[in-house]
Amino acid sequence: MTATDRSAHIEYIDGMRALAVLAVMLYHLDPSLLPGGFVGVDVFFVISGFVVTASLASHGQETLGTFLRNFYTRRLARLIPALVTMLVATTLVYVLLVPKAWFNRAAESVGQAAFWGLSNWVLDRQAINYFEPRAELNPFTHTWSLGVEEQFYLLAPLLLFVALRKPAVHRQCQVVIFAIAALSALSLLSCYYFGVAKGARFVFYYLAFRFWELAFGVLMFLSLPGVRRLSARFGTGGRVSGVAGLI
């Protein structure tokens, strides 16, 4: 990480993410240990939105081209080595040790799509319920949430560049923040409506129905009372605290 990125690192966020992941792991190990543990995924998405905004805020002085290039460079450097290592190792173990059967027919296509951040699309297209054997016994099912995040990364810097740039333009910041809030509300309402009308599986895998969770983390960063202290730590001065006043 650069010095700016290190200054934007918040230690307690790592602890919160660890707790969210632990909750999901306990639920998968034995649902009776933590019946609501699957909510850790939702918490993780909110934290991701917060962290991505914090990362972008520390680069608010850059031009749009540099802003986008540096963001995607940081994301790729952070994600790709671990992702490729995990996928290659899992693929080797799967090919060598797991016989083909009805319950793992989707594994190969999901694993291939995971390299491109599209495993959630493949899982949804194959009508796999996350809590059925075909998903639970698929060694690549867990990559769906990373796919949602990676797709959010395509939108986040474009949505936030104006709101986080220095010097700030009050009216432009206001428009961007209200646009994010409106999109978040639309995503939440769509999730509820289609979840009731078509079932939870229909809204489980897609970014459109998860956007509100990530966006809530974005808006949380921009609106927290302590954002003045955070923004000083991120090197943005009073910039972000001024944005917070727009919400």
Side-chain angles (χ1 to χ4, degrees), residues 169-175 177-178 222 241-247:
V169 179
H170 182 88
R171 184 175 298 276
Q172 292 179 354
C173 292
Q174 189 177 38
V175 169
I177 291 170
F178 280 116
L222 296 177
S241 60
V243 174
L246 300 175
I247 301 179

Side-chain angles (χ1 to χ4, degrees), residues 106-143:
E108 294 179 10
S109 57
V110 173
Q112 292 169 3
F115 279 97
W116 308 101
L118 298 173
S119 59
N120 57 321
W121 288 14
V122 175
L123 284 164
D124 183 82
R125 190 168 61 246
Q126 294 179 353
I128 295 178
N129 185 308
Y130 187 76
F131 299 101
E132 70 176 29
R134 286 184 297 170
E136 290 187 341
L137 299 175
N138 185 333
F140 303 105
T141 297
H142 66 285
T143 62

Side-chain angles (χ1 to χ4, degrees), residues 137-159:
L137 299 175
N138 185 333
F140 303 105
T141 297
H142 66 285
T143 62
W144 76 269
S145 58
L146 180 59
V148 170
E149 288 197 39
E150 289 174 331
Q151 289 150 36
F152 179 72
Y153 294 156
L154 298 177
L155 300 175
L158 296 174
L159 290 172

Side-chain angles (χ1 to χ4, degrees), residues 52-135:
V52 167
T53 309
S55 173
L56 290 168
S58 64
H59 295 268
Q61 76 285 356
E62 299 170 348
T63 63
L64 177 59
T66 303
F67 186 76
L68 295 176
R69 182 176 65 252
N70 288 345
F71 173 74
Y72 291 122
T73 298
R74 294 193 305 273
R75 290 292 92 191
L76 290 173
R78 182 178 179 85
L79 295 176
I80 296 302
L83 175 63
V84 171
T85 300
M86 182 276 293
L87 289 175
V88 170
T90 303
T91 299
L92 288 174
V93 173
Y94 170 79
V95 171
L96 293 174
L97 302 179
V98 181
K100 287 190 176 183
W102 68 269
F103 56 79
N104 61 12
R105 291 175 184 171
E108 294 179 10
S109 57
V110 173
Q112 292 169 3
F115 279 97
W116 308 101
L118 298 173
S119 59
N120 57 321
W121 288 14
V122 175
L123 284 164
D124 183 82
R125 190 168 61 246
Q126 294 179 353
I128 295 178
N129 185 308
Y130 187 76
F131 299 101
E132 70 176 29
R134 286 184 297 170

